[in-house]
Amino acid sequence: MAVTLAIFVSSAARVLPALLAIPVQQDLGWQTSDVVWPITLGIAVSAFASPLAAHGLVRWGVRSPLFTSLVLLAISLALTTRATSPWHLVLAWGVGVGFSGSLSASILGAMAGSRGSAAHCGTRFGVVMSIQILGSMAGLLFASRMVEATEWRTAFHAAAIVVLATAFVAFLLASASRQGAEPHRSASSPHALSCSERRSWRFWALAVIFCICGASTSGLIDGQIGILCMSAGLGLSSSADVIVIVLLGGAIGGVASGYLADRYPARMLLAAYFVARAFVLLWLPFTGLSLVELARFGALYGLDAALTFPALVRLMSANLGSRGIGPAMGWMMAAHVTGATIASAGVGALGLADYLVGFACVGLACLVAAGLAMLLKGASGKERLSS
């Protein structure tokens, strides 16, 4: 219950920088790059801190790392309202939000999904991801309407208060035991991946797949679509509505993918998902970026973007084993967010005029990810995770 609440609230709060970047920039009279680069830095910081966050969960359990993450997020959101210089956002969004985001729903979901019956691993992970997406939807709707009624500082203040209150509730409700933070394993199993596993070609193939997945979701869409919509002439509410459509498709796709990952070979599912994503990304630049076309893209893309993670967890367990699923997911999330950082920085540097290049390159990379998935050891829904 505590983890579910924390995932929902933190996901709602973390969408604020990407959604309100343009209002902040316009109100303070800065350049667009002054608000884009702190968001990109936050993605990069989250990538490098993900393995440490996974190790902290295994060593100290859920309660302390979760409390620390939420308090840091609340402080960062509150400091945003005091920003008078671009470097203030670098500290608040780049460092604060970045470090707090390292303890992601992906790591918590992978650990939760790997416990208990392996037959429903994908479904459990899909539900966790859907909770994260629903939280992001709530944050977008709340913040966009509040900013239009008042101002952007009010939205950040309100979010900081809610996150701080959630931190104390989670601290009181979450178990201090380490048992809830890690999957079932034998007494002789190590806490982390062995060196030989990290040197395995399967490990690096999975890392490349996660990197491309991050580039085509968190970097290309999550960090840029709000700016893209407003740069194309859409208002704040219309831009938020497009992002909500993306997330609504993601919430449906997360649960559906978890169900499919428990019943069909993960590598076949992933190949199909990445091929579909490539076609959607390659199609978007040829639209007129109107509200209707962006909404249509959002529905298709959001559905596909959430499909990959449950199948990726299945494939990772089949190729690396489940005994170190938390640390493994920490490393994979580092690769995921590294890809997101590269894509976000690239699109931010190119700007709206050359967005075709960024979308086309990432779309082609998705085809590479589909091919890599087919080379890995398959895992059907009937296979049991090793203990």
Side-chain angles (χ1 to χ4, degrees):
M1 176 63 183
V3 174
T4 301
L5 176 64
I7 289 175
F8 182 87
V9 173
S10 62
S11 299
R14 287 193 184 101
V15 301
L16 265 62
L19 176 66
L20 302 181
I22 295 299
V24 170
Q25 173 253 321
Q26 292 174 345
D27 183 55
L28 298 178
W30 297 343
Q31 300 295 320
T32 303
S33 59
D34 293 334
V35 295
V36 170
W37 287 110
I39 295 175
T40 302
L41 176 62
I43 297 174
V45 170
S46 179
F48 288 109
S50 289
L52 296 177
H55 177 74
L57 284 174
V58 172
R59 181 167 183 176
W60 294 300
V62 172
R63 186 165 67 178
S64 295
L66 192 61
F67 177 78
T68 303
S69 173
L70 290 171
V71 169
L72 180 59
L73 177 59
I75 293 173
S76 300
L77 294 173
L79 290 178
T80 300
T81 63
R82 300 288 185 178
T84 57
S85 176
W87 72 267
H88 294 162
L89 289 188
V90 171
L91 291 177
W93 295 357
V95 179
V97 177
F99 270 112
S100 70
S102 63
L103 189 62
S104 65
S106 300
I107 297 175
L108 292 169
M111 288 181 164
S114 62
R115 299 199 310 269
S117 172
H120 303 290
C121 168
T123 302
R124 288 193 297 269
F125 185 77
V127 169
V128 172
M129 294 305 297
S130 294
I131 292 170
Q132 179 186 29
I133 293 170
L134 290 173
S136 298
M137 286 176 55
L140 287 167
L141 293 173
F142 162 80
S144 62
R145 271 58 183 182
M146 175 172 283
V147 169
E148 289 192 335
T150 56
E151 62 167 356
W152 60 268
R153 290 182 179 85
T154 305
F156 277 102
H157 276 136
I161 293 171
V162 173
V163 171
L164 188 61
T166 303
F168 287 100
V169 172
F171 185 82
L172 294 174
L173 296 181
S175 172
S177 172
R178 292 166 48 192
Q179 294 176 355
E182 52 190 326
H184 172 74
R185 61 175 184 265
S186 63
S188 60
S189 297
H191 287 289
L193 291 176
S194 67
C195 293
S196 62
E197 286 172 322
R198 286 198 295 266
R199 288 195 297 264
S200 168
W201 73 270
R202 298 181 189 277
F203 176 90
W204 291 108
L206 283 164
V208 172
I209 293 174
F210 269 86
C211 182
I212 295 173
C213 182
S216 59
T217 53
S218 299
L220 198 61
I221 302 301
D222 296 351
Q224 297 292 337
I225 194 169
I227 297 174
L228 176 66
C229 290
M230 282 182 270
S231 298
L234 273 65
L236 180 62
S237 292
S238 297
S239 301
D241 290 341
V242 171
I243 302 175
V244 166
I245 291 173
V246 175
L247 295 174
L248 181 61
I252 298 171
V255 176
S257 178
Y259 178 86
L260 293 172
D262 287 333
R263 287 157 180 80
Y264 300 100
R267 61 176 185 167
M268 299 295 294
L269 292 173
L270 278 175
Y273 298 156
F274 276 115
V275 169
R277 185 180 301 180
F279 279 112
V280 173
L281 288 173
L282 291 171
W283 164 73
L284 177 63
F286 297 98
T287 68
L289 292 182
S290 66
L291 176 60
V292 174
E293 290 170 326
L294 284 170
R296 186 183 298 118
F297 164 79
L300 294 173
Y301 184 82
L303 180 64
D304 180 82
L307 288 172
T308 50
F309 252 98
L312 275 171
V313 173
R314 270 293 197 181
L315 197 63
M316 185 174 66
S317 297
N319 286 270
L320 301 180
S322 64
R323 69 179 182 272
I325 191 72
M329 181 54 78
W331 287 107
M332 292 305 153
M333 285 308 299
H336 187 275
V337 184
T338 298
T341 304
I342 295 171
S344 181
V347 173
L350 290 172
L352 181 64
D354 295 317
Y355 75 98
L356 171 63
V357 177
F359 278 79
C361 290
V362 177
L364 294 174
C366 287
L367 297 177
V368 175
L372 287 174
M374 292 301 297
L375 295 177
L376 293 169
K377 176 183 176 183
S380 69
K382 295 182 180 179
E383 292 177 27
R384 295 281 178 177
L385 296 174
S386 61
S387 59

